[in-house]
Amino acid sequence: MVMRARLRRGALIAAALAASALIPQMLAPPAPKQAAVKEGWTRIGAQPQKSHAAALMSDSPATFALLLGLFAFFAVIRVKRWTGDTVGASAESIEGRQYWRLLTSNLAHVDATHFVFNLSTAYSLGGALERRHGSAALLGSTAALVVFVGLVAAALTGHAGGAVGAWHLGFSGVLFAWITDEALMAPQFCPCLLYTSDAADEGLGVDL
């Protein structure tokens, strides 16, 4: 009898402890549901972050459209097997009033390596310039540069020793202008004069 009573008491104590362990879970508020991750986004840890493609489309639409145009035109050239004779700009083509070549010559590239290098540079610089100057300014300046670069390059083909069949191809001329813009907007620093905190208070400088 005494043994049974002890077993019953032990079972009751164990049941009470198990019930008390469940009480905090029953009283705790339900965990918040995780927000659904939108398509085009990636999740890093617990913070949703935009993917590169989504960020480029939303933050730099003009750059995204330009990169898409370069890729589409390169694909068309590869399929159609067009050459410089078809889309390139030269002094002869401008004299023949084929002004549309000013655009196609900047969009066309010699080969895949040439295209990949130019596309990667445009991707690196275009977004920063668009955020600084605005989408309209980037598109307007790029259109003006396409015409200017095409005219200069076509003129140079006419003075390259009178070579026949010389064509201008590639987006490099516009990219050089973008690089120049980025360099001009970089903060200036003159290492010729260094001011220390004490010397600055006294208006003195330390020559290097």
Side-chain angles (χ1 to χ4, degrees), residues 35-110:
V37 180
K38 295 181 180 180
E39 185 179 355
W41 292 58
T42 57
R43 180 175 290 277
I44 301 175
Q47 298 296 329
Q49 301 289 338
K50 286 184 179 181
S51 65
H52 291 293
L56 187 64
M57 285 188 289
S58 60
D59 300 337
S60 308
T63 303
F64 179 78
L66 182 61
L67 295 177
L68 191 62
L70 288 172
F71 185 84
F73 196 77
F74 179 76
V76 170
I77 288 178
R78 302 294 289 184
V79 172
K80 297 291 187 179
R81 297 185 178 181
W82 290 341
T83 62
D85 294 337
T86 308
V87 296
S90 67
E92 296 176 351
S93 64
I94 300 303
E95 290 175 359
R97 297 184 178 182
Q98 297 178 349
Y99 301 121
W100 50 269
R101 289 179 179 266
L102 296 175
L103 174 62
T104 58
S105 64
N106 281 275
L107 298 180
H109 292 81
V110 176

